[in-house]
Amino acid sequence: MRKRTKRIFSILILILNFVFMNSKDKPLSNFTILDITVARAGPVAVRLLADWGANVIRIEPPIRRDRGSIIGKNRGSDSQNLHRNKRSICLDLKSPAGREVLYTFVKQADVVVENFRAEVKERLGIDYDQLKKVNDKIILASISGFGQDGPYKDRPGLDQILQGMSGLMSVTGDPESGPTRTGIAISDTTSGMFLGQGILLALLHREITGQGQWVHTSLLESMLSKLDFQGSRYTVNKEIPVSTGNFHPTLSPMGTFHTRDGYVNIAASTDRMFVTLCEKLGCPESAMDDRFNSPEKRRQYRQALDVIIEENTRKFSSTELIESLNPLGIPCGPIYNIREAFEDPQARHLKMIIPAPHPVLGNIDLVRSPINLSAFPHDDQFHHAGPDNGEHTAQIMNDMGYDTKEIIALKSKGVIQ
């Protein structure tokens, strides 16, 4: 009964926090996140939190001018996309004084996000055992290439390496082309998304129990999970999937077909869709062919079927097929380049591009979060663009309780910049 009462009380506190939250605040506005990540996967996880209102403090190493670093190095499109809505401080975590500053932050923070090797975490004092001594409610969120333990835990993990090791490249591309990487950093972005979800789960658990914890994932774990039905074809049926190019590995007809002026993607895998497609393309006899009269047979004879479908799609323009098949319930779409994708009327209607104000670059257009919450409509612009290195050092130090005299002293020692 006592445990149940405590849980009910925790839930009531959570509800009251939302009730009394400023109406302009976003769902994560009550949380402070310390971002000590590099590369892409970690920043993707933190970006999810920053976009939904979290107070994200990005902790970066001091600028080494002798190595050619400059304050404006974060002004490229990639950095802006990864670090919008974050603030930046330059802090020397290798120095004892820098570590003390970090621990002061940890006492006031909710989550620390990092992607260092285990030995580096311990050396910098940011492993979970050390952090929870400073704040027993802290959540440490870690991301790595291969996991926090095991035979490969110390290997460097990069997106393309994991695309290969997860099996993804073996099912991507045409059979004749050999293994093919995807056109985006899918291992990094997927693991970042999963870590972001893990952080939200840990925050929810802490709201109910008051307990912090260590949440972590890796590029390898994320990509093995991302294989989804291709993975289950092996785990359940012991079938080893292979690449099938632009055609679906198990459903037919579903793939990319030539038109009179380009290409379209068509998906007509059900019996009803297939019959309707054949009628629309002018080959109704194909729907009656014994080789194609069931999903199983269409899969078995897919190569022959794809040839027949393409012979007939070539008689139409891409627009003709898109405009005629979709109203019939047959999914059909164009194959865009990146510009065309963002300029499509539906993408523009969804306002996937919104500006971020930058003091030097002006308003820069970035891609918004794809999550839509009815209680929190998307703003017309991001709160702020990605920061220069150490742009908010003084402001953050003030927020954390340091006075001007202390800030000046730490700057003179090179602990902060």
Side-chain angles (χ1 to χ4, degrees):
M1 179 65 70
R2 184 178 300 173
K3 184 176 180 181
R4 182 181 178 186
T5 301
K6 183 178 179 181
R7 182 179 180 186
I8 293 173
F9 179 75
S10 297
I11 294 174
L12 286 174
I13 292 296
L14 180 61
I15 293 173
L16 287 173
N17 282 340
F18 278 103
V19 170
F20 290 104
M21 185 185 295
N22 187 304
S23 61
K24 294 183 180 179
D25 287 343
K26 292 187 175 182
L28 302 180
S29 295
N30 287 343
F31 300 107
T32 294
I33 315 296
L34 304 183
D35 177 7
I36 321 179
T37 64
V38 295
R40 185 176 309 279
V44 166
V46 180
R47 180 176 62 192
L48 167 68
L49 312 177
D51 281 351
W52 290 102
N55 171 31
V56 174
I57 299 172
R58 180 159 175 76
I59 299 175
E60 303 185 86
I63 299 165
R64 307 296 184 188
R65 297 187 183 279
D66 58 329
R67 298 181 185 177
S69 296
I70 57 174
I71 285 184
K73 75 173 185 179
N74 285 336
R75 293 180 185 173
S77 60
D78 193 18
S79 292
Q80 288 297 313
N81 184 48
L82 286 173
H83 302 308
R84 78 276 185 110
N85 290 334
K86 305 176 185 180
R87 294 187 296 165
S88 171
I89 178 174
C90 285
L91 177 63
D92 184 6
L93 295 180
K94 296 180 180 179
S95 69
R99 186 174 301 181
E100 287 305 312
V101 171
L102 174 66
Y103 288 164
T104 300
F105 288 12
V106 170
K107 290 176 183 177
Q108 303 174 63
D110 299 284
V111 183
V112 175
V113 188
E114 61 79 31
N115 56 349
F116 296 108
R117 298 191 311 275
E119 62 181 36
V120 177
K121 276 198 283 285
E122 294 172 5
R123 187 166 68 246
L124 294 178
I126 57 173
D127 59 283
Y128 183 59
D129 288 339
Q130 294 187 73
L131 291 182
K132 70 179 180 181
K133 292 177 183 177
V134 179
N135 178 355
D136 62 3
K137 294 185 178 181
I138 198 69
I139 294 168
L140 174 63
S142 302
I143 200 161
S144 62
F146 296 94
Q148 298 297 319
D149 48 34
Y152 298 163
K153 69 181 181 67
D154 293 323
R155 281 192 186 184
L158 296 176
D159 176 79
Q160 184 151 342
I161 304 302
L162 271 300
Q163 285 197 36
M165 292 187 67
S166 66
L168 176 63
M169 291 176 66
S170 74
V171 294
T172 305
D174 291 316
E176 299 80 14
S177 68
T180 305
R181 71 180 297 277
T182 63
I184 61 171
I186 192 168
S187 302
D188 285 332
T189 52
T190 297
S191 55
M193 291 165 62
F194 282 145
L195 185 65
Q197 293 175 27
I199 292 169
L200 296 176
L201 291 171
L203 284 170
L204 180 60
H205 178 260
R206 194 186 66 180
E207 291 295 331
I208 296 173
T209 67
Q211 300 173 355
Q213 62 179 296
W214 184 19
V215 53
H216 55 85
T217 189
S218 67
L219 275 66
L220 181 57
E221 290 167 285
S222 297
M223 290 313 301
L224 289 174
S225 173
K226 191 72 171 181
L227 292 176
D228 199 56
F229 78 96
Q230 295 282 50
S232 66
R233 290 172 68 188
Y234 170 71
T235 62
V236 175
N237 302 324
K238 302 309 175 188
E239 178 184 355
I240 302 177
V242 297
S243 60
T244 55
N246 289 327
F247 294 89
H248 195 279
T250 61
L251 301 175
S252 181
M254 187 182 295
T256 304
F257 299 93
H258 280 87
T259 64
R260 194 167 61 230
D261 56 0
Y263 298 90
V264 291
N265 283 317
I266 296 176
S269 56
T270 69
D271 289 332
R272 181 192 63 80
M273 288 181 184
F274 177 60
V275 171
T276 304
L277 175 65
C278 291
E279 292 174 350
K280 190 64 183 179
L281 293 181
C283 54
E285 68 282 356
S286 296
M288 309 304 295
D289 192 313
D290 288 342
R291 296 173 298 171
F292 311 136
N293 61 9
S294 72
E296 293 75 23
K297 287 185 178 180
R298 288 195 292 275
R299 179 184 177 184
Q300 181 180 357
Y301 297 104
R302 61 180 307 153
Q303 291 183 338
L305 176 58
D306 289 342
V307 170
I308 294 172
I309 297 297
E310 184 154 286
E311 286 176 350
N312 289 278
T313 57
R314 286 179 179 273
K315 302 173 184 177
F316 300 85
S317 70
S318 298
T319 299
E320 287 171 341
L321 289 175
I322 292 166
E323 293 182 351
S324 63
L325 294 181
N326 281 295
L328 298 175
I330 301 173
C332 178
I335 298 173
Y336 286 150
N337 61 34
I338 302 299
R339 180 188 63 80
E340 292 168 332
F342 279 109
E343 297 302 327
D344 180 87
Q346 184 65 26
R348 291 179 67 84
H349 171 79
L350 295 172
K351 297 180 180 179
M352 286 302 298
I353 300 175
I354 58 176
H358 191 283
V360 176
L361 303 175
N363 282 343
I364 55 176
D365 288 336
L366 299 173
V367 185
R368 70 164 173 84
S369 167
I371 300 170
N372 301 287
L373 301 179
S374 61
F376 299 92
H378 288 287
D379 297 327
D380 292 332
Q381 66 176 26
F382 290 105
H383 184 269
H384 57 270
D388 287 346
N389 300 56
E391 180 179 336
H392 305 99
T393 294
Q395 181 187 99
I396 292 169
M397 295 295 287
N398 273 317
D399 290 349
M400 291 297 179
Y402 289 85
D403 59 32
T404 303
K405 187 175 180 179
E406 292 172 312
I407 294 172
I408 292 174
L410 289 169
K411 279 190 175 182
S412 67
K413 297 176 182 176
V415 176
I416 61 175
Q417 285 183 351

